[in-house]
Amino acid sequence: DTSPAEAEAEEPAPEAADGSYDDEEEEEEEEDGLEQAMSDTDGWIRRQRANNVSPEEVLAHLGLRVRFAGDPDELWALVADLVSQFRTRMLPRPRLPSPSTLDELAAAIARAEHILVISGAGISVSAGIPDFRSKSGVYQMVEEKFDLPDPQSLFDIHYFVEDPVPFFTFARNLYPGKYAPTPSHRFIRALERRGKLLRNYTQNIDTLEQVAGIERKVTCHGSFETASCLACKRRVPCDEIRAEIMRAEVPRCGACSHDLNVLKPDIVFFGETLGEGFEAHIREDLPRCDLLLVMGSSMRVQPVATIPSMLARDVPQVLINRELVMQPHQFDVELLGECDAITAELARRLGWAEDVAEADAPAA
């Protein structure tokens, strides 16, 4: 386990001309380096690492002295998050003059060739799957049912290793097989059928993208599609542990007898890192994206929440959600309401109504 970071303010150190830190360089060069970090955070961080700059030095430059005995990658992730927050709050993106209406948005979708979709729990609510943060969501249900230090402990890897029973007692409420894709899922699939979907970055773990037939997807937080043994890493399909899940039992690996032979669904818990797929795809997709759709997401969880601020500022950004998110960040079009109703209306204006309204989605 890593020890918590201890932070205190200190004077920021100037930055060298090559993007690394050097106490002898001028303040003007420091400001240029910060602009580079704001415009290309990933590339800037790679240059710092190539120059053997530590994340502690970068955080010191931001006014934080950090003592951290853990994995440097965790601190670099903190650096990326802080830079993204600075960029969003200090340099808010100006709203584009167009699209600004439903008709203009429909026309923009019709023209676009590389649409990046970020989807969250809001697109699955109408399927009967609870979201996480609403008054009737997962965390509220967990708080009422279990005596946990925090509702999010249900998805904390350290707590899970100590006691997997609460998670498996609750898991059957989210397990695949009892839910069908929604019109919002079918809208994303309609984009893909027409060659417009660059990638669907889903924060959902319910596998409904797979059931809907969406292929160009990244399951940012993993999914219930498979499960892996904590000890020997053997992976099994979700159907192999379905019976235990439905009985609220802890599934065990039959290939090893280790104390930690729990078959944990391959969803990303708090305290775990995202898979390599996210990093590999996002670096490839950001420069290609010509339209962003954010659908049914609170946009509170990193690193997905950084995507809008990493795009070129002339790429139209659209929010389809129950409420505004990421303020003071401005989306060019903000469509507030139920995702299904909004996507159905967009589909109607695009001439895709039958695709979104169809009752049966492709089988998994």
Side-chain angles (χ1 to χ4, degrees):
D1 290 346
T2 58
S3 61
E6 300 174 357
E8 60 185 62
E10 71 166 10
E11 291 297 320
E15 185 182 357
D18 64 357
S20 60
Y21 292 100
D22 188 328
D23 290 338
E24 298 179 0
E25 293 299 326
E26 299 293 332
E27 181 178 348
E28 181 178 341
E29 292 169 340
E30 170 190 338
E31 292 174 354
D32 289 343
L34 186 56
E35 289 181 3
Q36 293 173 13
M38 294 271 190
S39 62
D40 179 18
T41 306
D42 287 345
W44 182 79
I45 286 177
R46 286 195 295 272
R47 288 193 294 276
Q48 304 310 309
R49 302 186 77 160
N51 288 323
N52 295 317
V53 177
S54 72
E56 288 87 351
E57 291 175 88
V58 177
L59 290 169
H61 176 72
L62 296 174
L64 298 172
R65 178 181 295 161
V66 177
R67 300 181 183 91
F68 189 72
D71 186 345
D73 285 344
E74 294 185 31
L75 272 188
W76 281 119
L78 174 61
V79 170
D81 187 16
L82 286 173
V83 171
S84 174
Q85 293 296 326
F86 282 142
R87 181 170 51 208
T88 299
R89 297 182 181 279
M90 297 173 62
L91 300 173
R93 171 185 176 275
R95 179 173 286 162
L96 300 178
S98 179
S100 62
T101 67
L102 272 175
D103 283 335
E104 289 179 353
L105 174 56
I109 292 173
R111 288 193 305 269
E113 298 179 347
H114 304 292
I115 300 176
L116 193 155
V117 178
I118 298 173
S119 57
I123 74 167
S124 294
V125 170
S126 66
I129 301 174
D131 64 9
F132 282 81
R133 292 180 169 82
S134 72
K135 293 181 179 179
S136 58
V138 169
Y139 291 144
Q140 181 62 35
M141 294 165 64
V142 168
E143 190 170 21
E144 293 172 356
K145 187 167 186 177
F146 300 104
D147 182 21
L148 298 177
D150 182 274
Q152 295 188 31
S153 297
L154 191 77
F155 298 97
D156 183 285
I157 188 60
H158 304 295
Y159 189 91
F160 179 88
V161 169
E162 291 181 6
D163 183 11
V165 171
F167 172 81
F168 285 110
T169 301
F170 188 80
R172 59 183 172 184
N173 295 295
L174 302 174
Y175 213 64
K178 53 192 292 191
Y179 304 107
T182 68
S184 296
H185 291 98
R186 294 196 288 271
F187 181 81
I188 299 171
R189 176 58 179 143
L191 293 174
E192 185 174 48
R193 284 175 179 158
R194 288 161 176 80
K196 294 180 175 293
L197 182 65
L198 175 60
R199 200 91 56 196
N200 176 198
Y201 287 83
T202 176
Q203 298 170 286
N204 297 334
I205 59 177
D206 52 37
T207 74
L208 290 186
E209 291 80 14
Q210 178 189 354
V211 178
I214 300 169
E215 297 179 1
R216 296 186 61 81
K217 67 181 185 297
V218 173
T219 51
C220 302
H221 301 157
S223 77
F224 279 106
E225 185 178 349
T226 58
S228 297
C229 175
L230 289 179
C232 72
K233 309 306 179 185
R234 183 174 75 99
R235 179 171 291 180
V236 301
C238 66
D239 284 343
E240 188 165 319
I241 62 172
R242 181 180 302 278
E244 288 97 328
I245 295 291
M246 293 301 111
R247 294 194 299 265
E249 297 175 356
V250 177
R252 298 284 178 176
C253 176
C256 74
S257 56
H258 195 280
D259 290 344
L260 287 178
N261 66 343
V262 177
L263 286 169
K264 170 189 166 291
D266 291 324
I267 60 178
V268 179
F269 277 37
F270 295 113
E272 295 185 300
T273 58
L274 296 187
E276 295 180 359
F278 176 85
E279 295 294 338
H281 284 301
I282 199 62
R283 285 195 296 269
E284 174 187 330
D285 292 343
L286 286 172
R288 300 182 63 201
C289 174
D290 58 10
L291 179 65
L292 172 69
L293 300 180
V294 175
M295 301 172 55
S297 173
S298 67
M299 296 298 285
R300 294 181 186 177
V301 180
Q302 304 294 345
V304 175
T306 65
I307 292 177
S309 60
M310 293 167 70
L311 290 168
R313 293 195 165 200
D314 60 350
V315 173
Q317 299 190 14
V318 180
L319 175 68
I320 301 174
N321 206 37
R322 284 181 174 176
E323 59 188 10
L324 293 174
V325 295
M326 291 187 64
Q327 293 178 297
H329 180 88
Q330 293 191 87
F331 291 88
D332 302 302
V333 181
E334 295 170 336
L335 303 174
L336 303 185
E338 300 299 327
C339 292
D340 289 347
I342 295 168
T343 53
E345 176 59 22
L346 282 173
R348 186 187 69 79
R349 294 177 187 235
L350 286 160
W352 305 351
E354 291 185 2
D355 288 8
V356 173
E358 64 187 13
D360 299 320

